[in-house]
Amino acid sequence: MRPILLQGHERSLTQIKYNKDGDLLFSTAKDHVVCAWYSVNGERVGTYKGHVGALWTVDVDPATTLLATGSADNTIRIWDVRTGKQLKMWEFPTAVKRVEFSEDGTLLLAVTEQRMGHLGTVVVFPITVDLEAEQVDEPNFTITFRESKATVAAWSYLNKYIITGHEDGRVSQYDGKTGELIRDVQAHELDMQITDIQMAPDRTYFITCSKDKTAKILDVNELKVMKTYVTDTPLNTAALTPKKDFVILGGGQEARDVTTTSQRQGKFEARFYHKIFEDEIGRVKGHFGPLNTIAVHPQGVGYASGGEDGYVRVHHFDKPYFDFAYEVEKMKG
Amino acid sequence: MAPRREDEHEDDEEIDFTDLRERYEVQLDEGLDTFVVVDGCPKVPADSRPKLIKLDTNTTEGYAFVEYNTPDQALLACKQLNGMALDRKHTVSINKLTDIEHFGREGRIKEEYVEPEIEPFAEQEHLRSWLSDINSRDQFIMYRSENVGVFWNKKKDVPEPVIDRAGWTESFVQWSPQGTFLTSVHGQGVQLWGGASWKRIMRFAHPIVNLVDFSPNEKYLVTWSNKPISIPENPPPNFPLGPDEDGKSFIIWDIKTGNLLRSFTSVEVTGDRDAELFEKSRKKVSWPVFKWSSDDKYVARVVPEQSIQVFETPSMLLLGKKAIKIEGVVDFEWSPSIPTAEKGKKEPEQLLCYWTPEMNNQTARVGLMSIPSKEIIRTRNLVNVSDCKLHWQSEGKYLCVKVDRHTKTKKSMYTSLEFFRVKEKNIPVEIVELKQVVINFAWEPKGDRFVFITVDEAIQGAQVAPKTSVHFYAPEKIKNGVGEFCLVKTVEKKNSNAIYWSPKGRFALIATVHSQQSFDLEFWDFDFEGEKQKQDKASKNKDLAANLMLMGTSEHYGLTDVEWDPTGRYVATSASMWKHAMENGYHLWDFKGYLLREEHIDKFKQFLWRPRPPTMLSKEEQKQIRKNLREYSKQFDEEDQFEADVANKEVLEARKRQLDEWRAWRARIEKEVRWERVDLGLPEDPEEALREAAGEEEDKVVEEIIEEVISEHEEEIA
């Protein structure tokens, strides 16, 4: 498995996303540029320029028509994927940490930062998936967090719920139409920030990871912790693999501590765990800084990781990856 | 301001000072403070009275009153003369008269003798219960973060916890030499734990204790603090130490009773005489300071340049009432052999060796002294000595004196090893001369082979540390006794700096510890059961009692400590956060160097195997077991196999269950989602519509190769 190294960013990566077909890859970093790449060979398709702050987040709608980005310049911008033209911009009092389109692409949620007297929020905008359409200015509703701010959020299947992960390690479930709080669980260790949340392809369950060095799978309806993956390093990102029952976790020594330790110590590896048996089954080395974000190809044929070191590494799985199975999995019935 | 001050004065009058007054009230001189009572004087008939009066007293009732000039003198007399032996039969006890008044006042002591009540016998836990483990496994302790846990060694598998306590110790933990007690160290003192329930066995109060040492048979305990004990002027009622301990740094305790036997101040090297030496001794505390004879009968310490103080247990009095004067003495070591009384002698004699450096036109000297007779049975003079280290073989058969010497110009250093064959007649000495400096030496436990490491001369200004060489020695095979020590093999250009012999001998682990660059581990076998290895360095016509073989090499990144288990089957290497913060944790190896287990644990501090007491089997019984080892091993292999099978089966079943559960849940949730979609009037499968549109086509890969000429130019090659 030889990775393709994408050297398009000058600063640490913050998020990467495949489009639904898996042929394109979008990446954001703390420099002010959004990049689009061909996932098959790592050639850069183009960039989306306009943001004037570090970029935190990116998402593309299911039809690969619109691209949404959130930035520390306190804006969300909608772009034409094909031309790179900016279509819409919403401004906020604070930075935008996470954006995500709903399953059908008609809604967009965004997590805004808590800062300077402004509380953290999740805002939900209706989206018209049409390059010509004028997007509305006002959100459908806003969820405000009085206690612990949300760091990540995602849509459930059929836009039923918004699931949020919080700075204090809680996971909450909000009504997708009204924004009312329904459920609340302390999924991770208290006051250990949840760093990533990624939905399964059918959005019936999701994986969260935290600075408490664990990743967990919860179902969207009951918020029941179904699986727990224990590692030896603070985690920044966790992804689920379609086709095979694995999860990929990434993290490493805190960025500010990296200079004080050797690369060997940093644990800058992508770790593969078996989704059902919770065993570690492999690691992929390469980055020389913590892994900030991992995205898996929607068809499960590869994955990409973005690191604090400013590189994206795109991997295509080899045959042994697909052949790997536990004895019990090989047994029929 | 002024008027207000007056007001304040008025307020002062009203403050209640009674508590302060009580506290600081001066004890009125009762006039008896200058008197002491001497008890235990000889009862003599009238005609011997004049003799006794010489000893400060004039009654024959067995006690005497002595008046001193000041209460301070009286106090000093109590402190210094109490317990003094007048002669063989009489030991006087001296107390202040006021104390006797105070404690012995009427009513305090009952007139009638009341038989003390004997407490009913309560069964105590067996302190060695861990030895009766059905699988004879060994225990070890792990101290990581704030937790101290005792575990059973499960080889490859997760260690089985016995007990795990948070905050069990404040600085470190230590096993007693035979594994009976676990020592925890706290700001207030030391605690011993043991038995099946791991309850507290004993407490020893020593404020800000730094180090702990046991006598070999776990009878006595030495505690040391670098801060002399200071007794507060008005000690709280439960303060554990008395005024005798004021200013002391060492305390020797009886473990069984928990009683304080004696306390000592540390020996200060006289500062002005040799400032350099003074500094040296301040910096380096070579522990243990108090060294025990192998039978716990004596404990001794060196007063540098002056004498060796040998104390008898349990009285803790100086042997023969005075220290053994040896001018210039630097260090000494007890022979570890178990002493046996010779015929016709009451007390068994045991050996200690010491060395003195060159001084006053006298050569340096190594001496062997017999205790308690204090007879010097062998000395050897040495020249050009910089330093000596004394290494006893574990049975006391040999003594190796590592002599670091300098050339006459004092420009370069080299080492010679002087071997005293203590058990042979007249104690012959054998010498191994080397060109380099030996940095580490180790005897094979219960054997007569040894390994040492020499270091090449450092290259001036070089960044890298000088290379080391590892030398393996064994005696020549001769008919009777043990032949000359001969070199078996030298391995050059290494970084190794530490030697760890298996506690049962034969196997040695050569390691590089506390290094930034190198983390080598080499597992050597001295009795390889195969073809005789050619030893390049060994003389061809000599038959050596060794067949040396390198069994395995490995690495442990960040290695700081190495510990063999007491059976010599496993060895644990660990990286402790006390030394650095990189990849803390431990590795477990078998004696061949095969890695059984590795675990990275944040804030890992200590890994310690629980020692075992010496075996109770006779030599014949041990031989019998060794003879039938094959049969036993068959049985053990079967047990291991069975355990592995059961474990495998369990894992398999657990996995199957997990898989079934997951699949069942998926089936259920998928169905639910489909229904919900239908309810909303959406197609059942969201992908269906898309797939139909795409027409079930496989992905097509279109590859286009575009050749582009960037530049072209011709060049003529002459």
Side-chain angles (χ1 to χ4, degrees):
Chain A
M1 193 165 67
R2 263 182 85 119
I4 304 165
L5 191 62
L6 310 186
Q7 311 183 47
H9 288 286
E10 285 167 3
R11 292 198 55 200
S12 49
L13 271 289
T14 50
Q15 196 172 21
I16 47 184
K17 272 272 166 75
Y18 281 94
N19 68 340
K20 194 161 179 86
D21 293 329
D23 59 337
L24 291 177
L25 189 66
F26 301 94
S27 63
T28 54
K30 286 184 185 165
D31 53 22
H32 305 168
V33 191
V34 190
C35 291
W37 317 79
Y38 286 117
S39 68
V40 66
N41 59 6
E43 191 182 328
R44 183 151 75 172
V45 186
T47 56
Y48 303 85
K49 281 188 183 155
H51 276 292
V52 289
L55 277 145
W56 287 114
T57 174
V58 61
D59 197 20
V60 59
D61 82 320
T64 320
T65 318
L66 302 175
L67 189 77
T69 53
S71 157
D73 66 6
N74 303 350
T75 62
I76 299 174
R77 295 174 202 229
I78 299 287
W79 314 79
D80 177 355
V81 171
R82 189 178 297 274
T83 64
K85 198 179 114 197
Q86 184 181 316
L87 301 175
K88 176 73 189 171
M89 180 171 87
W90 288 287
E91 278 194 72
F92 297 90
T94 58
V96 180
K97 295 303 287 272
R98 197 41 94 102
V99 291
E100 193 184 73
F101 284 104
S102 64
E103 191 174 25
D104 52 6
T106 60
L107 293 166
L108 179 76
L109 68 74
V111 179
T112 67
E113 181 68 290
Q114 169 188 346
R115 187 148 296 160
M116 292 187 291
H118 297 282
L119 292 169
T121 66
V122 165
V123 289
V124 175
F125 291 99
I127 297 291
T128 318
V129 189
D130 185 349
L131 294 172
E132 305 302 316
E134 184 73 22
Q135 306 292 350
V136 295
D137 286 324
E138 287 307 309
N140 280 359
F141 58 86
T142 302
I143 305 165
T144 308
F145 305 105
R146 303 202 176 278
E147 284 168 28
S148 178
K149 72 175 182 191
T151 49
V152 288
W155 289 102
S156 82
Y157 68 93
L158 295 174
N159 313 341
K160 268 168 81 178
Y161 311 115
I162 292 168
I163 309 291
T164 55
H166 293 260
E167 199 180 21
D168 64 356
R170 275 181 310 120
V171 171
S172 307
Q173 182 191 51
Y174 291 88
D175 189 300
K177 290 177 187 66
T178 63
E180 271 169 60
L181 178 68
I182 303 170
R183 228 178 234 105
D184 196 10
V185 292
Q186 185 73 47
H188 286 273
E189 249 174 66
L190 188 64
D191 287 336
M192 289 295 205
Q193 186 190 334
I194 294 181
T195 47
D196 198 7
I197 184 166
Q198 293 198 22
M199 281 286 170
D202 70 350
R203 293 177 187 264
T204 54
Y205 63 99
F206 58 93
I207 187 163
T208 61
C209 67
S210 152
K211 294 285 178 203
D212 72 2
K213 305 184 179 179
T214 65
K216 298 189 186 213
I217 284 184
L218 286 82
D219 80 309
V220 291
N221 289 323
E222 316 254 325
L223 296 191
K224 202 177 81 193
V225 176
M226 307 185 69
K227 298 288 170 192
T228 301
Y229 311 94
V230 181
T231 73
D232 58 357
T233 185
L235 293 175
N236 294 331
T237 180
L240 295 152
T241 60
K243 246 187 191 154
K244 299 295 287 183
D245 282 325
F246 301 147
V247 299
I248 312 176
L249 313 178
Q253 201 85 37
E254 294 273 355
R256 61 169 181 273
D257 299 333
V258 166
T259 48
T260 64
T261 55
S262 65
Q263 187 187 344
R264 182 188 167 94
Q265 164 79 356
K267 298 157 180 161
F268 311 135
E269 295 150 326
R271 295 126 191 277
F272 284 69
Y273 281 70
H274 196 281
K275 183 167 77 185
I276 298 166
F277 306 134
E278 304 172 338
D279 292 339
E280 185 175 329
I281 49 181
R283 290 189 188 191
V284 176
K285 282 190 214 168
H287 285 285
F288 47 89
L291 273 71
N292 286 342
T293 174
I294 288 174
V296 179
H297 193 288
Q299 272 78 54
V301 296
Y303 84 97
S305 56
E308 188 72 19
D309 58 9
Y311 296 120
V312 177
R313 301 175 74 89
V314 182
H315 307 74
H316 296 276
F317 294 130
D318 297 331
K319 192 166 174 295
Y321 169 88
F322 298 103
D323 292 344
F324 179 88
Y326 276 64
E327 284 301 311
V328 283
E329 288 181 288
K330 287 178 190 158
M331 290 192 288
K332 284 197 174 162
Chain B
M1 286 296 279
R4 281 186 74 184
R5 280 190 82 100
E6 273 166 30
D7 289 350
E8 276 171 23
H9 269 287
E10 272 167 39
D11 285 347
D12 280 354
E13 297 294 310
E14 286 162 33
I15 294 173
D16 185 12
F17 280 118
T18 46
D19 53 335
L20 286 175
R21 213 166 267 150
E22 247 169 58
R23 212 165 136 189
Y24 293 106
E25 180 125 50
V26 179
Q27 290 280 325
L28 286 179
D29 199 343
E30 289 168 44
L32 296 172
D33 274 349
T34 55
F35 282 93
V36 298
V37 181
V38 182
D39 256 320
C41 300
K43 297 180 181 178
V44 295
D47 54 336
S48 303
R49 269 178 64 172
K51 255 191 199 168
L52 193 59
I53 294 165
K54 258 196 243 163
L55 296 164
D56 291 18
T57 166
N58 59 1
T59 83
T60 57
E61 290 293 313
Y63 60 86
F65 298 96
V66 180
E67 187 179 359
Y68 287 88
N69 286 336
T70 66
D72 282 346
Q73 283 175 359
L75 201 66
L76 205 67
C78 289
K79 261 191 183 176
Q80 293 190 343
L81 300 177
N82 190 22
M84 188 183 75
L86 283 181
D87 55 28
R88 225 163 243 267
K89 280 181 196 155
H90 298 94
T91 306
V92 292
S93 47
I94 298 177
N95 287 296
K96 281 171 74 179
L97 183 59
T98 45
D99 279 351
I100 296 210
E101 284 279 294
H102 183 68
F103 294 107
R105 201 179 295 161
E106 234 167 281
R108 293 254 171 141
I109 296 170
K110 279 183 189 148
E111 288 298 320
E112 224 169 285
Y113 173 69
V114 182
E115 184 122 353
E117 213 173 291
I118 295 169
E119 273 183 51
F121 174 73
E123 178 109 14
Q124 292 295 312
E125 288 174 28
H126 199 306
L127 292 177
R128 289 185 172 170
S129 53
W130 93 96
L131 293 172
S132 56
D133 177 52
I134 257 184
N135 296 320
S136 314
R137 294 172 299 179
D138 276 294
Q139 287 188 345
F140 58 80
I141 208 154
M142 283 199 277
Y143 178 23
R144 61 265 189 260
S145 182
E146 297 313 310
N147 286 37
V148 177
V150 180
F151 298 87
W152 289 112
N153 175 20
K154 297 275 280 174
K155 297 178 245 177
K156 275 185 185 182
D157 301 323
V158 185
E160 184 184 316
V162 180
I163 189 161
D164 206 345
R165 287 182 183 155
W168 201 346
T169 185
E170 281 172 32
S171 49
F172 63 93
V173 286
Q174 186 174 330
W175 291 107
S176 64
Q178 305 197 352
T180 316
F181 308 110
L182 177 69
T183 322
S184 67
V185 182
H186 309 262
Q188 299 91 336
V190 171
Q191 302 191 82
L192 299 189
W193 309 79
S197 67
W198 291 97
K199 64 173 185 184
R200 186 169 62 218
I201 311 283
M202 203 50 85
R203 278 206 283 203
F204 304 97
H206 188 164
I208 332 173
V209 59
N210 292 98
L211 287 171
V212 181
D213 184 42
F214 285 85
S215 70
N217 299 305
E218 302 181 341
K219 278 193 198 150
Y220 307 104
L221 181 78
V222 186
T223 56
W224 172 70
S225 168
N226 65 356
K227 279 200 177 139
I229 297 167
S230 71
I231 305 290
E233 237 167 72
N234 292 305
N238 57 348
F239 196 76
L241 298 168
D244 284 353
E245 275 61 69
D246 200 18
K248 304 294 176 69
S249 297
F250 295 91
I251 304 181
I252 299 186
W253 307 86
D254 185 315
I255 290 178
K256 282 203 191 81
T257 61
N259 288 343
L260 187 154
L261 292 180
R262 189 166 173 185
S263 55
F264 295 91
T265 52
S266 42
V267 179
E268 293 280 336
V269 177
T270 36
D272 51 305
R273 220 190 111 186
D274 197 345
E276 199 187 338
L277 196 72
F278 176 69
E279 267 307 300
K280 228 183 190 173
S281 74
R282 290 284 305 230
K283 266 183 217 151
K284 267 195 193 164
V285 177
S286 102
W287 185 254
V289 172
F290 283 87
K291 294 174 185 172
W292 295 91
S293 68
S294 62
D295 57 355
D296 288 14
K297 193 151 171 28
Y298 305 104
V299 62
R301 73 162 164 180
V302 66
V303 181
E305 299 179 28
Q306 294 171 24
S307 60
I308 298 174
Q309 297 175 324
V310 181
F311 302 93
E312 273 184 288
T313 59
S315 69
M316 294 310 296
L317 297 173
L318 275 172
L319 179 68
K321 297 191 195 84
K322 56 175 184 257
I324 305 165
K325 230 178 138 81
I326 303 167
E327 206 182 315
V329 62
V330 178
D331 200 9
F332 75 98
E333 291 291 342
W334 287 98
S335 160
S337 66
I338 310 287
T340 44
E342 273 175 58
K343 268 180 205 167
K345 280 191 185 169
K346 241 199 273 172
E347 298 239 2
E349 291 280 329
Q350 32 194 324
L351 287 180
L352 63 76
C353 68
Y354 62 90
W355 75 278
T356 58
E358 286 165 49
M359 54 186 179
N360 310 335
N361 277 338
Q362 222 179 15
T363 57
R365 183 174 289 176
V366 174
L368 279 167
M369 183 185 287
S370 183
I371 299 288
S373 64
K374 300 187 185 175
E375 196 182 319
I376 293 171
I377 57 164
R378 181 82 161 90
T379 57
R380 187 171 161 74
N381 296 335
L382 300 163
V383 288
N384 297 339
V385 175
S386 295
D387 194 14
C388 279
K389 282 270 152 14
L390 312 166
H391 298 273
W392 281 98
Q393 187 258 6
S394 70
E395 299 158 309
K397 267 158 75 177
Y398 316 103
L399 165 70
C400 167
V401 181
K402 179 172 88 75
V403 189
D404 289 336
R405 318 171 82 157
H406 48 81
T407 49
K408 286 211 172 103
T409 54
K410 297 204 176 182
K411 265 188 186 154
S412 59
M413 300 280 290
Y414 63 100
T415 301
S416 69
L417 300 170
E418 317 252 334
F419 295 90
F420 291 70
R421 291 171 176 252
V422 178
K423 297 275 149 108
E424 287 169 35
K425 206 181 164 190
N426 293 335
I427 314 187
V429 175
E430 194 176 322
I431 303 165
V432 174
E433 285 257 12
L434 297 153
K435 290 194 180 72
Q436 308 103 321
V437 173
V438 173
I439 53 165
N440 215 327
F441 175 94
W443 282 105
E444 176 182 23
K446 294 182 185 165
D448 24 51
R449 299 175 285 199
F450 54 87
V451 181
F452 60 86
I453 300 174
T454 59
V455 64
D456 296 350
E457 222 164 288
I459 303 154
Q460 284 286 309
Q463 288 294 310
V464 286
K467 291 284 175 193
T468 59
S469 307
V470 187
H471 308 259
F472 301 87
Y473 274 71
E476 197 185 343
K477 270 188 199 163
I478 52 169
K479 266 185 192 160
N480 295 313
V482 178
E484 196 189 336
F485 294 121
C486 295
L487 178 66
V488 181
K489 194 183 182 79
T490 297
V491 189
E492 283 172 339
K493 297 214 169 70
K494 303 294 296 176
N495 295 307
S496 315
N497 53 17
I499 308 156
Y500 301 94
W501 277 96
S502 155
K504 300 277 182 216
R506 180 170 167 183
F507 304 105
L509 169 56
I510 311 296
T512 312
V513 298
H514 302 307
S515 164
Q516 297 283 325
Q517 286 93 30
S518 175
F519 320 98
D520 303 334
L521 296 169
E522 286 185 349
F523 296 80
W524 292 87
D525 182 358
F526 268 74
D527 293 315
F528 178 61
E529 290 163 5
E531 208 181 306
K532 188 89 180 162
Q533 295 297 302
K534 257 196 205 159
Q535 311 298 0
D536 36 67
K537 287 265 174 148
S539 321
K540 272 169 201 147
N541 47 8
K542 277 183 186 169
D543 190 14
L544 302 182
N547 187 19
L548 190 68
M549 174 81 172
L550 177 63
M551 290 185 298
T553 54
S554 201
E555 267 198 355
H556 178 180
Y557 179 81
L559 162 74
T560 61
D561 297 275
V562 176
E563 273 253 324
W564 280 91
D565 90 317
T567 63
R569 291 177 297 169
Y570 306 102
V571 59
T573 58
S574 53
S576 164
M577 73 160 285
W578 285 334
K579 306 281 163 50
H580 60 73
M582 317 242 275
E583 287 195 25
N584 297 138
Y586 73 94
H587 291 206
L588 186 65
W589 316 78
D590 72 0
F591 66 95
K592 299 191 293 290
Y594 173 73
L595 182 63
L596 293 171
R597 188 173 170 76
E598 67 172 285
E599 225 178 320
H600 294 281
I601 301 172
D602 268 359
K603 296 187 181 157
F604 191 87
K605 293 174 183 164
Q606 264 183 307
F607 186 107
L608 294 174
W609 291 100
R610 188 171 197 175
R612 283 168 179 257
T615 178
M616 283 144 102
L617 298 176
S618 68
K619 277 227 165 105
E620 285 71 41
E621 284 170 306
Q622 289 182 48
K623 217 173 184 180
Q624 195 62 30
I625 290 173
R626 226 168 283 143
K627 213 173 126 195
N628 296 332
L629 210 56
R630 241 166 243 279
E631 272 169 49
Y632 292 124
S633 81
K634 207 190 268 173
Q635 187 190 327
F636 293 143
D637 284 346
E638 269 169 29
E639 276 172 24
D640 284 355
Q641 188 60 42
F642 179 73
E643 202 171 305
D645 286 349
V646 169
N648 273 342
K649 215 172 153 196
E650 271 170 21
V651 168
L652 216 66
E653 263 165 27
R655 281 203 187 128
K656 197 160 161 35
R657 205 176 54 242
Q658 283 178 317
L659 193 64
D660 288 346
E661 273 171 17
W662 180 264
R663 282 182 179 157
W665 178 71
R666 288 307 304 158
R668 203 179 73 234
I669 192 87
E670 274 165 22
K671 209 159 137 196
E672 269 177 40
V673 173
R674 227 171 285 148
W675 282 347
E676 278 181 59
R677 292 186 71 89
V678 171
D679 285 350
L680 290 169
L682 292 165
E684 260 187 47
D685 185 352
E687 307 289 319
E688 208 171 3
L690 287 173
R691 227 177 295 145
E692 264 169 33
E696 290 282 340
E697 235 177 90
E698 282 283 313
D699 280 355
K700 242 192 270 170
V701 177
V702 184
E703 238 176 87
E704 213 176 319
I705 298 165
I706 302 165
E707 277 185 40
E708 203 178 322
V709 178
I710 298 167
S711 78
E712 208 170 351
H713 66 105
E714 269 176 40
E715 214 176 294
E716 213 167 284
I717 299 157

